[in-house]
Structure formats: structure tokens, C-alpha cells
Amino acid sequence: MGQKVNPFAIRLGITRDWVSKWYANKKQFPVQVHTDFRVRQFLKAKLAEASVSRILIDRAAKRVNITIQTARPGIVIGKKGEDIEKLRAETAKMLKLPATDVRLNISEIRKPELDAQLVADGIAQQIEKRVMFRRAMKRAVMSTMRSGALGVKVRLSGRLNGSEIARTEWAREGRVPLHTFRADIDYGLGEARTTYGVIGVKVWIFKGEVFDKAELAAQASEVEAAQAAQGAAANAAAAAAAAASTPGA
């Protein structure tokens, strides 16, 4: 067995960015980390029905910008923005800041089938409703691949179907290169709390490879050069054909 590494942590600074962005000294650092954790727990509990994928926290001076990535922005905002104002006030109270210094931004997820966290939560909800775990897995894999993913892997662990002995089952389609740093791998972890115990759900979605700007520029220039060469060859062939068809040439 190889050493297991979080797919986000290993790609930080390469293809992934930090979910919390701020600077603090040694004394403030643990306090702010714990505060971020509590804020995320609070918002996810409050917005359990809103299909929240992840929460980004950005602190600048004494202001805090919180971005909520959700597939159902209407539920978060509420009628005429009432719900989001309540959330903002409660979040500011947790952060011990005035409400004017806390800003909540809503980012809509256009394709929830391509978000690993939402797929994991969806499978967990189906298992809690006593849907057969294999059917839930296969349905999630098919819908993700249909939405344009290059690969998907789903893994369930626990007392599946209420069996006495816990086990692990998984399903995979396409390719999921977890060892490739430039691979854009989305990862989600969910938990199904059933009457016979907790079942863990892990989802990995491969969306393609992210190249460096220099590599992208080199590839673009190669493509342009190839297209220019093809165009020049086509023009030469057309000129030769025109010369051959002209009488007295």
C-alpha cells in the first residue's frame, strides 16, 4: 500500500489555491485557523439544503470576505436577500467583527455533477434514504462522465447494506492520474449517517491537465506555425492549379 496523500494538499501552489488566504503572527495563527474551521462548520450546518461545495475565506486588514460556492444560490440568498443578511450578522458575531466588515459572496456552481464534494454528498444522501449503494455509485459515475469528466472514482467504506463486517467497495470509469501533479483532480469526502453506522464516501474527478503558461504559449505557437504552414501549402497548390489552368501559361 502506498502512502495516502490529500489530492488538494499535494497540489497546493501547482494547480490548487488555498481555501483560506490571510497572514498572521505566531500568536494569532492558531486562533484564526480555529475561527475559520468554526465558521465553515456553522455555514455548512446552516446551509445543509443549499448544496454547498466549499467556503473560501479571505482576510484583508480588518475585513473578511467569505465566498460560498453553492449549486443553489437562491436558497442561500432567500427572499429579497433576507437569509443572507441574517447569515452575515451571525458570521460577524462569530468573527467578533462589525457586520459592515464582513462580506458574503455567493458563487454559483454551473455543473454540480463535476463537483466532487457535491457528488459525494449526493451519494451519502441516497444511502441515508436506503438506496442500494451500488446503484447510487453507478448513477453518480454515469452522470459525472456524461457531464464531460475525463475520469471518476467513487469509494465507499463501512457497514454497507447493514452487513456485520465493514468493507470497502469502489467504482471507476475513465482515468484518474492521482500521481500527476498537473492533473486537475477534484476530491470530495462525505458521510452517510445510517442506523447501522457511518458510511464514508470518497469521490475523485479528473477534469484534464493544467499546463504552465510557458507550455501553453509554446503549444499555441506550434499550432499557429502548423496552421500557417498548411495555409501556405494550400495557397501554393491553388496558385499552381490556377497557373496550369490558364491558357498559354
Side-chain angles (χ1 to χ4, degrees):
M1 294 292 288
Q3 301 298 318
K4 303 298 181 292
V5 181
N6 187 292
F8 290 161
I10 200 171
R11 289 175 175 82
L12 277 176
I14 303 171
T15 59
R16 280 278 162 186
D17 209 352
W18 283 258
V19 291
S20 290
K21 290 183 181 178
W22 40 262
Y23 176 80
N25 56 32
K26 287 184 180 180
K27 288 184 178 179
Q28 289 296 318
F29 191 88
V31 176
Q32 293 199 9
V33 168
H34 185 60
T35 306
D36 284 4
F37 173 73
R38 285 178 53 231
V39 166
R40 285 196 177 94
Q41 271 194 326
F42 166 73
L43 289 175
K44 283 193 174 181
K46 279 281 186 180
L47 305 171
E49 302 296 322
S51 299
V52 174
S53 171
R54 55 184 59 89
I55 296 163
L56 312 177
I57 299 175
D58 189 359
R59 296 172 189 256
K62 291 186 178 180
R63 292 178 177 272
V64 179
N65 291 326
I66 300 173
T67 303
I68 302 170
Q69 296 182 353
T70 172
R72 299 177 182 174
I75 296 176
V76 180
I77 296 167
K79 288 184 179 179
K80 297 181 181 178
E82 292 175 2
D83 293 351
I84 198 163
E85 285 302 322
K86 288 179 185 174
L87 268 180
R88 183 179 164 191
E90 291 174 358
T91 307
K93 193 176 179 182
M94 288 184 70
L95 292 166
K96 296 178 181 177
L97 290 172
T100 51
D101 290 343
V102 176
R103 188 175 177 185
L104 288 183
N105 304 316
I106 310 300
S107 175
E108 184 182 1
I109 297 171
R110 300 284 181 183
K111 289 187 176 180
E113 297 86 6
L114 289 177
D115 192 287
Q117 186 60 51
L118 296 184
V119 172
D121 290 341
I123 294 171
Q125 286 171 11
Q126 290 181 60
I127 291 171
E128 286 175 354
K129 292 174 183 174
R130 299 184 181 274
V131 174
M132 295 291 287
F133 71 91
R134 281 198 184 88
R135 185 181 300 170
M137 269 199 308
K138 287 179 180 176
R139 193 183 296 165
V141 168
M142 285 174 61
S143 65
T144 302
M145 291 300 290
R146 208 180 296 126
S147 297
L150 298 179
V152 57
K153 183 168 79 169
V154 178
R155 182 174 171 176
L156 305 183
S157 297
R159 292 181 59 186
L160 302 173
N161 284 345
S163 61
E164 287 291 322
I165 299 174
R167 67 183 194 276
T168 299
E169 295 276 345
W170 60 276
R172 186 178 69 188
E173 194 169 334
R175 53 187 286 260
V176 187
L178 296 179
H179 288 220
T180 307
F181 282 175
R182 70 182 177 209
D184 185 8
I185 304 277
D186 197 11
Y187 170 72
L189 172 64
E191 289 182 347
R193 301 186 180 276
T194 63
T195 53
Y196 39 83
V198 177
I199 292 176
V201 184
K202 289 183 178 180
V203 177
W204 295 263
I205 297 176
F206 175 49
K207 301 179 185 177
E209 293 188 354
V210 180
F211 292 95
D212 192 30
K213 289 180 181 178
E215 288 185 51
L216 288 174
Q219 286 181 358
S221 61
E222 284 176 13
V223 170
E224 286 176 7
Q227 288 176 347
Q230 286 178 356
N235 290 338
S245 62
T246 304

